[in-house]
Amino acid sequence: MAKKALITGVTGQDGAYLAELLLAKGYEVYGARRRLSTDNTGRLRAHLGPKFRSPRFRLLYGDLTDSSSVNGFIGSIRPDEIYNLAAQSHVAVSFEQPEFTADCDALGTLRILEAVRNLGLGRKTRIYQASTSELYGKVRAVPQNEGTPFHPRSPYGVSKLFAYWIAVNYRESYGLFASNGILFNHESPLRGETFVSRKATIGLSRISWGLDKCLYLGNLDSKRDWGHARDYVSAMHMMLLRDEPGDFVIATGKQYSVRRFIETAAAVAGLTLEWKGKGLAERGVVAGIAAPHPAAGLSRHELRVKKGDVVVRISPEYFRPSEVDTLLGDASRAARELGWRPKVAFKELVEEMMLADLYAARKAVYLKTGGFR
Ligand code: NAP
Ligand code: F7E
């Protein structure tokens, strides 16, 4: 009998990579999605390709803010593994929708744990909880590991703090197999378009093809430990294969600023940026133009950018009421106990994202102009 895995948040970035991984491992995969007025399965469909139609892959409706829905889908599937990835996951948005964020991210996790307990699945079902480096927030130690105290800095971080501890509490109180993956930022070409990495790769690609003029961003100086989502979902699965539940930091152990991410992405399109001015008046100016990456599908003469163009500006709307300035993870426990190590380095990650978005921009130019210029 194939093992049954339930993924909440299957329509998100990690949901797509995890569904792909579990299907390849022979699982029956059930994906819970919420009902929206528009289709939210586009990136999942594109990523899975023909596997989206596999008889081992089923989508169902489910919303973490609705306990009858959570009880219903867990009770009908009786999964061997639950990956709780569903969340309002945008830190900046959590300041504007704190109550919804807490309902989904904090109470949603509790609803899952309660459903597993009340349905008598405590011995059968293993639970992965998508915890986050945002728990460390105003960091108390560098680098951060499983023993570093938490100090979240946003309604998102605080909601995830509840989720982290309620998973630990159900493990200690009722013996549930519930593990927290404390994942540091992970990105990919499937990353949501309003996170800074993807916003930058989309923006710079469109600017390179002449579809946009400028990218507007907030704090360029925050530092993140950035990995690839494909590497990180494999760690989720490894955590549920262990004999015992536990909590693991998943990170690369290397840190880069947002500014460095942007410079690295621009270089894929052949652009060297120079930063001029300070604070809100700071801007990223094209200081040099070289041949774009050979796989970019963009030649130097097609680049619609010239030296001196301002391609990055700062806008106050993208600053947060409180910021997480620096995150750097120490994943040595995961290396030791799970045998997990990241495979994709920062430069490769940025290149993969940038190449995907340069192709998307190329296609948009083609559709707009009826052919290439
Ligand atoms: P994501 O792309 O934002 O995906 C979030 C998923 O949750 C989407 O499928 C979304 O559905 C779904 N969702 C939102 N509200 C829901 C609700 N009320 N009921 C049911 N589903 C709901 O996030 P991700 O990057 O894949 O991250 C996966 C998980 O890991 C999240 O819990 C996130 O907080 C956590 N995490 C992410 C990172 C990271 O760097 N990516 C790091 C640490 C932890 P729609 O498609 O309909 O919006
Ligand atoms: O911001 C700065 C921003 O929104 C990164 C989520 O997956 O990872 C993610 O949270 C940094 C911050 O990710 C813009 O202020 C500058 O310092 O891409 P982000 P995040 O806040 O680190 C953690 C681990 C999660 O768990 C979350 O779910 O970039 N920044 N300018 C900007 N950020 C955005 N979004 N947009 C800007 O224009």
Side-chain angles (χ1 to χ4, degrees):
M1 283 275 282
K3 273 194 189 173
K4 290 182 187 177
L6 166 66
I7 304 175
T8 71
V10 73
T11 56
Q13 169 188 256
D14 292 6
Y17 283 105
L18 182 63
E20 179 187 38
L21 176 81
L22 296 176
L23 285 170
K25 290 188 179 292
Y27 278 71
E28 257 177 47
V29 178
Y30 295 80
R33 60 160 159 164
R34 58 182 173 164
R35 196 265 162 187
L36 295 182
S37 65
T38 51
D39 181 37
N40 53 2
T41 61
R43 70 182 142 168
L44 179 61
R45 200 183 285 269
H47 187 69
L48 291 183
K51 292 196 201 94
F52 186 80
R53 294 271 159 231
S54 160
R56 285 193 291 108
F57 183 62
R58 285 168 221 170
L59 282 178
L60 48 107
Y61 283 105
D63 195 306
L64 285 208
T65 61
D66 176 350
S67 46
S68 65
S69 148
V70 173
N71 285 319
F73 63 70
I74 295 180
S76 64
I77 299 164
R78 303 181 71 80
D80 298 287
E81 296 170 10
I82 296 178
Y83 295 86
N84 182 31
L85 309 186
Q88 190 304 94
S89 74
H90 202 284
V91 173
V93 171
S94 79
F95 288 97
E96 291 178 33
Q97 299 187 4
E99 200 175 318
F100 170 69
T101 303
D103 196 357
C104 179
D105 301 11
L107 294 182
T109 306
L110 175 60
R111 290 181 185 109
I112 288 177
L113 294 162
E114 269 291 275
V116 168
R117 184 169 85 90
N118 291 327
L119 288 161
L121 294 171
R123 286 174 176 279
K124 173 184 166 76
T125 305
R126 296 179 170 208
I127 302 163
Y128 171 83
Q129 171 54 25
S131 288
T132 165
S133 51
E134 286 291 302
L135 297 175
Y136 299 117
K138 193 171 181 184
V139 297
R140 308 269 187 91
V142 180
Q144 297 83 51
N145 64 23
E146 293 80 3
T148 305
F150 297 139
H151 186 145
R153 295 272 281 170
S154 63
Y156 169 77
V158 175
S159 304
K160 286 282 188 177
L161 183 74
F162 176 88
Y164 173 94
W165 281 116
I166 202 69
V168 172
N169 180 253
Y170 272 53
R171 182 164 88 208
E172 292 175 353
S173 308
Y174 307 116
L176 295 197
F177 191 114
S179 292
N180 284 289
I182 309 174
L183 271 50
F184 282 62
N185 295 55
H186 47 280
E187 322 291 314
S188 73
L190 302 186
R191 183 59 144 153
E193 296 173 0
T194 58
F195 297 97
V196 77
S197 59
R198 188 77 199 290
K199 185 173 163 184
T201 57
I202 292 174
L204 291 167
S205 298
R206 289 179 59 84
I207 291 166
S208 301
W209 275 103
L211 291 164
D212 287 340
K213 287 278 174 228
C214 189
L215 172 63
Y216 290 84
L217 295 169
N219 178 13
L220 303 181
D221 293 316
S222 56
K223 295 190 183 117
R224 293 290 183 270
D225 178 331
W226 268 304
H228 195 296
R230 182 179 279 115
D231 283 347
Y232 285 41
V233 300
S234 74
M236 299 176 186
H237 182 237
M238 287 171 172
M239 282 179 222
L240 295 200
L241 293 184
R242 290 180 84 232
D243 293 336
E244 297 294 330
D247 308 316
F248 291 90
V249 162
I250 301 298
T252 68
K254 296 211 166 70
Q255 187 190 55
Y256 300 89
S257 65
V258 170
R259 189 187 300 279
R260 180 78 179 277
F261 188 104
I262 290 155
E263 291 165 357
T264 310
V268 180
L271 308 178
T272 306
L273 300 187
E274 191 176 80
W275 301 98
K276 294 193 171 162
K278 287 253 175 297
L280 292 178
E282 185 171 9
R283 58 220 181 272
V285 182
V286 176
I289 300 186
H293 188 290
L298 167 72
S299 65
R300 197 172 164 157
H301 81 268
E302 283 169 319
L303 257 175
R304 289 291 172 268
V305 180
K306 54 184 188 328
K307 269 192 192 179
D309 283 357
V310 177
V311 292
V312 181
R313 285 185 192 278
I314 307 299
S315 172
E317 73 188 281
Y318 299 115
F319 287 84
R320 296 163 184 191
S322 54
E323 178 61 286
V324 172
D325 296 318
T326 174
L327 289 171
L328 177 66
D330 166 10
S332 45
R333 180 173 178 206
R336 221 173 29 248
E337 295 183 28
L338 303 175
W340 180 87
R341 278 176 192 81
K343 294 191 181 115
V344 181
F346 176 75
K347 188 163 176 274
E348 275 176 89
L349 166 71
V350 180
E351 267 176 23
E352 185 185 332
M353 294 178 70
M354 197 58 196
L355 292 178
D357 283 323
L358 279 166
Y359 266 93
R362 182 179 200 256
K363 194 170 160 192
V365 169
Y366 188 86
L367 293 174
K368 194 171 157 190
T369 59
F372 289 111
R373 290 167 287 181

